[in-house]
PDB file of all heavy atoms in Angstrom:
ATOM      1  N   ALA V 290      99.319 -99.611  -2.676  1.00 94.00           N
ATOM      2  CA  ALA V 290      98.977 -98.194  -2.566  1.00 94.00           C
ATOM      3  C   ALA V 290      98.906 -97.535  -3.935  1.00 94.00           C
ATOM      4  O   ALA V 290      98.055 -96.710  -4.198  1.00 94.00           O
ATOM      5  CB  ALA V 290     100.006 -97.481  -1.673  1.00 94.00           C
ATOM      6  N   GLU V 291      99.832 -97.942  -4.835  1.00 95.00           N
ATOM      7  CA  GLU V 291      99.839 -97.385  -6.188  1.00 95.00           C
ATOM      8  C   GLU V 291      98.576 -97.757  -6.944  1.00 95.00           C
ATOM      9  O   GLU V 291      97.949 -96.895  -7.589  1.00 95.00           O
ATOM     10  CB  GLU V 291     101.067 -97.877  -6.943  1.00 95.00           C
ATOM     11  CG  GLU V 291     101.183 -97.358  -8.356  1.00 95.00           C
ATOM     12  CD  GLU V 291     102.389 -97.911  -9.100  1.00 95.00           C
ATOM     13  OE1 GLU V 291     103.524 -97.745  -8.571  1.00 95.00           O
ATOM     14  OE2 GLU V 291     102.199 -98.509 -10.193  1.00 95.00           O
ATOM     15  N   ASN V 292      98.180 -99.020  -6.865  1.00 95.00           N
ATOM     16  CA  ASN V 292      96.978 -99.464  -7.554  1.00 95.00           C
ATOM     17  C   ASN V 292      95.736 -98.741  -7.022  1.00 95.00           C
ATOM     18  O   ASN V 292      94.848 -98.326  -7.798  1.00 95.00           O
ATOM     19  CB  ASN V 292      96.800-100.969  -7.417  1.00 95.00           C
ATOM     20  CG  ASN V 292      97.781-101.759  -8.276  1.00 95.00           C
ATOM     21  OD1 ASN V 292      98.329-101.223  -9.238  1.00 95.00           O
ATOM     22  ND2 ASN V 292      98.001-103.013  -7.946  1.00 95.00           N
ATOM     23  N   ASN V 293      95.642 -98.625  -5.698  1.00 96.00           N
ATOM     24  CA  ASN V 293      94.501 -97.932  -5.100  1.00 96.00           C
ATOM     25  C   ASN V 293      94.452 -96.465  -5.543  1.00 96.00           C
ATOM     26  O   ASN V 293      93.390 -95.909  -5.825  1.00 96.00           O
ATOM     27  CB  ASN V 293      94.564 -97.998  -3.571  1.00 96.00           C
ATOM     28  CG  ASN V 293      94.310 -99.398  -3.059  1.00 96.00           C
ATOM     29  OD1 ASN V 293      93.716-100.238  -3.742  1.00 96.00           O
ATOM     30  ND2 ASN V 293      94.761 -99.692  -1.851  1.00 96.00           N
ATOM     31  N   PHE V 294      95.633 -95.819  -5.610  1.00 97.00           N
ATOM     32  CA  PHE V 294      95.727 -94.418  -6.035  1.00 97.00           C
ATOM     33  C   PHE V 294      95.293 -94.291  -7.476  1.00 97.00           C
ATOM     34  O   PHE V 294      94.524 -93.351  -7.838  1.00 97.00           O
ATOM     35  CB  PHE V 294      97.151 -93.943  -5.868  1.00 97.00           C
ATOM     36  CG  PHE V 294      97.395 -92.517  -6.308  1.00 97.00           C
ATOM     37  CD1 PHE V 294      97.062 -91.467  -5.485  1.00 97.00           C
ATOM     38  CD2 PHE V 294      97.930 -92.255  -7.553  1.00 97.00           C
ATOM     39  CE1 PHE V 294      97.277 -90.162  -5.884  1.00 97.00           C
ATOM     40  CE2 PHE V 294      98.165 -90.949  -7.957  1.00 97.00           C
ATOM     41  CZ  PHE V 294      97.831 -89.898  -7.143  1.00 97.00           C
ATOM     42  N   ILE V 295      95.772 -95.187  -8.336  1.00 97.00           N
ATOM     43  CA  ILE V 295      95.414 -95.130  -9.771  1.00 97.00           C
ATOM     44  C   ILE V 295      93.925 -95.300  -9.979  1.00 97.00           C
ATOM     45  O   ILE V 295      93.280 -94.596 -10.753  1.00 97.00           O
ATOM     46  CB  ILE V 295      96.201 -96.211 -10.545  1.00 97.00           C
ATOM     47  CG1 ILE V 295      97.687 -95.873 -10.643  1.00 97.00           C
ATOM     48  CG2 ILE V 295      95.632 -96.398 -11.936  1.00 97.00           C
ATOM     49  CD1 ILE V 295      97.989 -94.563 -11.337  1.00 97.00           C
ATOM     50  N   GLU V 296      93.328 -96.245  -9.260  1.00 97.00           N
ATOM     51  CA  GLU V 296      91.882 -96.474  -9.376  1.00 97.00           C
ATOM     52  C   GLU V 296      91.100 -95.242  -8.913  1.00 97.00           C
ATOM     53  O   GLU V 296      90.128 -94.834  -9.545  1.00 97.00           O
ATOM     54  CB  GLU V 296      91.469 -97.691  -8.543  1.00 97.00           C
ATOM     55  CG  GLU V 296      91.921 -99.029  -9.144  1.00 97.00           C
ATOM     56  CD  GLU V 296      91.482-100.209  -8.292  1.00 97.00           C
ATOM     57  OE1 GLU V 296      90.823-100.013  -7.241  1.00 97.00           O
ATOM     58  OE2 GLU V 296      91.810-101.360  -8.679  1.00 97.00           O
ATOM     59  N   GLU V 297      91.561 -94.649  -7.798  1.00 97.00           N
ATOM     60  CA  GLU V 297      90.857 -93.471  -7.287  1.00 97.00           C
ATOM     61  C   GLU V 297      91.007 -92.307  -8.237  1.00 97.00           C
ATOM     62  O   GLU V 297      90.061 -91.525  -8.442  1.00 97.00           O
ATOM     63  CB  GLU V 297      91.405 -93.096  -5.906  1.00 97.00           C
ATOM     64  CG  GLU V 297      90.674 -91.929  -5.281  1.00 97.00           C
ATOM     65  CD  GLU V 297      91.169 -91.576  -3.899  1.00 97.00           C
ATOM     66  OE1 GLU V 297      92.228 -92.104  -3.486  1.00 97.00           O
ATOM     67  OE2 GLU V 297      90.509 -90.750  -3.237  1.00 97.00           O
ATOM     68  N   LEU V 298      92.176 -92.147  -8.826  1.00 98.00           N
ATOM     69  CA  LEU V 298      92.423 -91.055  -9.755  1.00 98.00           C
ATOM     70  C   LEU V 298      91.478 -91.143 -10.978  1.00 98.00           C
ATOM     71  O   LEU V 298      90.911 -90.141 -11.413  1.00 98.00           O
ATOM     72  CB  LEU V 298      93.878 -91.047 -10.178  1.00 98.00           C
ATOM     73  CG  LEU V 298      94.455 -89.781 -10.814  1.00 98.00           C
ATOM     74  CD1 LEU V 298      94.162 -88.551  -9.967  1.00 98.00           C
ATOM     75  CD2 LEU V 298      95.944 -89.937 -11.052  1.00 98.00           C
ATOM     76  N   PHE V 299      91.334 -92.363 -11.498  1.00 98.00           N
ATOM     77  CA  PHE V 299      90.422 -92.559 -12.636  1.00 98.00           C
ATOM     78  C   PHE V 299      88.984 -92.260 -12.217  1.00 98.00           C
ATOM     79  O   PHE V 299      88.226 -91.620 -12.963  1.00 98.00           O
ATOM     80  CB  PHE V 299      90.542 -94.003 -13.156  1.00 98.00           C
ATOM     81  CG  PHE V 299      89.636 -94.304 -14.329  1.00 98.00           C
ATOM     82  CD1 PHE V 299      89.888 -93.774 -15.561  1.00 98.00           C
ATOM     83  CD2 PHE V 299      88.539 -95.146 -14.162  1.00 98.00           C
ATOM     84  CE1 PHE V 299      89.057 -94.047 -16.643  1.00 98.00           C
ATOM     85  CE2 PHE V 299      87.704 -95.416 -15.221  1.00 98.00           C
ATOM     86  CZ  PHE V 299      87.953 -94.866 -16.470  1.00 98.00           C
ATOM     87  N   THR V 300      88.619 -92.691 -11.013  1.00 97.00           N
ATOM     88  CA  THR V 300      87.275 -92.416 -10.502  1.00 97.00           C
ATOM     89  C   THR V 300      87.037 -90.909 -10.376  1.00 97.00           C
ATOM     90  O   THR V 300      85.947 -90.395 -10.713  1.00 97.00           O
ATOM     91  CB  THR V 300      87.067 -93.093  -9.134  1.00 97.00           C
ATOM     92  OG1 THR V 300      87.201 -94.492  -9.264  1.00 97.00           O
ATOM     93  CG2 THR V 300      85.699 -92.775  -8.564  1.00 97.00           C
ATOM     94  N   LEU V 301      88.037 -90.195  -9.883  1.00 98.00           N
ATOM     95  CA  LEU V 301      87.926 -88.745  -9.741  1.00 98.00           C
ATOM     96  C   LEU V 301      87.776 -88.042 -11.099  1.00 98.00           C
ATOM     97  O   LEU V 301      87.042 -87.043 -11.239  1.00 98.00           O
ATOM     98  CB  LEU V 301      89.120 -88.168  -8.988  1.00 98.00           C
ATOM     99  CG  LEU V 301      89.221 -88.537  -7.506  1.00 98.00           C
ATOM    100  CD1 LEU V 301      90.504 -87.966  -6.899  1.00 98.00           C
ATOM    101  CD2 LEU V 301      87.998 -88.043  -6.733  1.00 98.00           C
ATOM    102  N   GLN V 302      88.480 -88.553 -12.102  1.00 98.00           N
ATOM    103  CA  GLN V 302      88.319 -88.001 -13.442  1.00 98.00           C
ATOM    104  C   GLN V 302      86.866 -88.146 -13.910  1.00 98.00           C
ATOM    105  O   GLN V 302      86.278 -87.230 -14.473  1.00 98.00           O
ATOM    106  CB  GLN V 302      89.238 -88.718 -14.438  1.00 98.00           C
ATOM    107  CG  GLN V 302      90.698 -88.318 -14.362  1.00 98.00           C
ATOM    108  CD  GLN V 302      91.525 -88.955 -15.471  1.00 98.00           C
ATOM    109  OE1 GLN V 302      91.882 -90.125 -15.390  1.00 98.00           O
ATOM    110  NE2 GLN V 302      91.775 -88.185 -16.511  1.00 98.00           N
ATOM    111  N   CYS V 303      86.318 -89.336 -13.658  1.00 98.00           N
ATOM    112  CA  CYS V 303      84.915 -89.581 -14.036  1.00 98.00           C
ATOM    113  C   CYS V 303      83.959 -88.685 -13.264  1.00 98.00           C
ATOM    114  O   CYS V 303      82.991 -88.152 -13.818  1.00 98.00           O
ATOM    115  CB  CYS V 303      84.550 -91.043 -13.811  1.00 98.00           C
ATOM    116  SG  CYS V 303      85.472 -92.206 -14.858  1.00 98.00           S
ATOM    117  N   MET V 304      84.239 -88.496 -11.968  1.00 98.00           N
ATOM    118  CA  MET V 304      83.394 -87.631 -11.146  1.00 98.00           C
ATOM    119  C   MET V 304      83.443 -86.189 -11.653  1.00 98.00           C
ATOM    120  O   MET V 304      82.425 -85.481 -11.660  1.00 98.00           O
ATOM    121  CB  MET V 304      83.863 -87.687  -9.685  1.00 98.00           C
ATOM    122  CG  MET V 304      83.522 -88.961  -8.955  1.00 98.00           C
ATOM    123  SD  MET V 304      84.204 -88.970  -7.278  1.00 98.00           S
ATOM    124  CE  MET V 304      83.373 -87.566  -6.556  1.00 98.00           C
ATOM    125  N   ALA V 305      84.651 -85.759 -12.050  1.00 98.00           N
ATOM    126  CA  ALA V 305      84.786 -84.389 -12.561  1.00 98.00           C
ATOM    127  C   ALA V 305      83.984 -84.180 -13.838  1.00 98.00           C
ATOM    128  O   ALA V 305      83.261 -83.174 -13.985  1.00 98.00           O
ATOM    129  CB  ALA V 305      86.281 -84.091 -12.816  1.00 98.00           C
ATOM    130  N   LEU V 306      84.100 -85.125 -14.755  1.00 98.00           N
ATOM    131  CA  LEU V 306      83.336 -84.996 -16.009  1.00 98.00           C
ATOM    132  C   LEU V 306      81.836 -85.101 -15.754  1.00 98.00           C
ATOM    133  O   LEU V 306      81.035 -84.342 -16.324  1.00 98.00           O
ATOM    134  CB  LEU V 306      83.774 -86.075 -17.007  1.00 98.00           C
ATOM    135  CG  LEU V 306      83.057 -86.073 -18.361  1.00 98.00           C
ATOM    136  CD1 LEU V 306      83.187 -84.707 -19.055  1.00 98.00           C
ATOM    137  CD2 LEU V 306      83.593 -87.183 -19.258  1.00 98.00           C
ATOM    138  N   LYS V 307      81.442 -86.014 -14.887  1.00 98.00           N
ATOM    139  CA  LYS V 307      80.031 -86.169 -14.527  1.00 98.00           C
ATOM    140  C   LYS V 307      79.477 -84.839 -13.974  1.00 98.00           C
ATOM    141  O   LYS V 307      78.383 -84.401 -14.333  1.00 98.00           O
ATOM    142  CB  LYS V 307      79.857 -87.291 -13.494  1.00 98.00           C
ATOM    143  CG  LYS V 307      78.449 -87.522 -12.981  1.00 98.00           C
ATOM    144  CD  LYS V 307      78.409 -88.749 -12.076  1.00 98.00           C
ATOM    145  CE  LYS V 307      77.006 -88.987 -11.489  1.00 98.00           C
ATOM    146  NZ  LYS V 307      76.644 -88.000 -10.458  1.00 98.00           N
ATOM    147  N   GLY V 308      80.239 -84.233 -13.064  1.00 98.00           N
ATOM    148  CA  GLY V 308      79.781 -82.990 -12.475  1.00 98.00           C
ATOM    149  C   GLY V 308      79.616 -81.875 -13.511  1.00 98.00           C
ATOM    150  O   GLY V 308      78.666 -81.107 -13.475  1.00 98.00           O
ATOM    151  N   ARG V 309      80.585 -81.778 -14.443  1.00 98.00           N
ATOM    152  CA  ARG V 309      80.503 -80.740 -15.478  1.00 98.00           C
ATOM    153  C   ARG V 309      79.305 -80.955 -16.376  1.00 98.00           C
ATOM    154  O   ARG V 309      78.598 -80.012 -16.729  1.00 98.00           O
ATOM    155  CB  ARG V 309      81.800 -80.714 -16.292  1.00 98.00           C
ATOM    156  CG  ARG V 309      81.842 -79.703 -17.422  1.00 98.00           C
ATOM    157  CD  ARG V 309      81.441 -78.290 -17.033  1.00 98.00           C
ATOM    158  NE  ARG V 309      82.233 -77.713 -15.990  1.00 98.00           N
ATOM    159  CZ  ARG V 309      83.128 -76.757 -16.188  1.00 98.00           C
ATOM    160  NH1 ARG V 309      83.379 -76.312 -17.390  1.00 98.00           N
ATOM    161  NH2 ARG V 309      83.791 -76.256 -15.153  1.00 98.00           N
ATOM    162  N   LEU V 310      79.048 -82.212 -16.761  1.00 98.00           N
ATOM    163  CA  LEU V 310      77.892 -82.506 -17.623  1.00 98.00           C
ATOM    164  C   LEU V 310      76.575 -82.230 -16.899  1.00 98.00           C
ATOM    165  O   LEU V 310      75.640 -81.657 -17.477  1.00 98.00           O
ATOM    166  CB  LEU V 310      77.960 -83.966 -18.106  1.00 98.00           C
ATOM    167  CG  LEU V 310      79.124 -84.299 -19.043  1.00 98.00           C
ATOM    168  CD1 LEU V 310      79.161 -85.797 -19.322  1.00 98.00           C
ATOM    169  CD2 LEU V 310      79.027 -83.514 -20.344  1.00 98.00           C
ATOM    170  N   GLU V 311      76.478 -82.661 -15.649  1.00 98.00           N
ATOM    171  CA  GLU V 311      75.231 -82.434 -14.910  1.00 98.00           C
ATOM    172  C   GLU V 311      74.990 -80.956 -14.654  1.00 98.00           C
ATOM    173  O   GLU V 311      73.847 -80.475 -14.744  1.00 98.00           O
ATOM    174  CB  GLU V 311      75.304 -83.190 -13.579  1.00 98.00           C
ATOM    175  CG  GLU V 311      75.176 -84.712 -13.725  1.00 98.00           C
ATOM    176  CD  GLU V 311      75.298 -85.438 -12.408  1.00 98.00           C
ATOM    177  OE1 GLU V 311      75.854 -84.857 -11.433  1.00 98.00           O
ATOM    178  OE2 GLU V 311      74.876 -86.609 -12.347  1.00 98.00           O
ATOM    179  N   ASN V 312      76.050 -80.219 -14.331  1.00 97.00           N
ATOM    180  CA  ASN V 312      75.901 -78.801 -14.027  1.00 97.00           C
ATOM    181  C   ASN V 312      75.544 -77.952 -15.238  1.00 97.00           C
ATOM    182  O   ASN V 312      74.938 -76.898 -15.110  1.00 97.00           O
ATOM    183  CB  ASN V 312      77.167 -78.262 -13.372  1.00 97.00           C
ATOM    184  CG  ASN V 312      77.378 -78.843 -11.979  1.00 97.00           C
ATOM    185  OD1 ASN V 312      76.446 -79.266 -11.328  1.00 97.00           O
ATOM    186  ND2 ASN V 312      78.627 -78.849 -11.528  1.00 97.00           N
TER     187      ASN V 312
END
Side-chain angles (χ1 to χ4, degrees):
E291 180 182 304
N292 286 340
N293 290 339
F294 178 82
I295 289 300
E296 287 181 1
E297 183 178 11
L298 197 51
F299 180 71
T300 299
L301 292 176
Q302 284 186 280
C303 295
M304 288 176 61
L306 180 57
K307 177 175 178 287
R309 178 50 59 105
L310 293 174
E311 288 178 339
N312 291 336

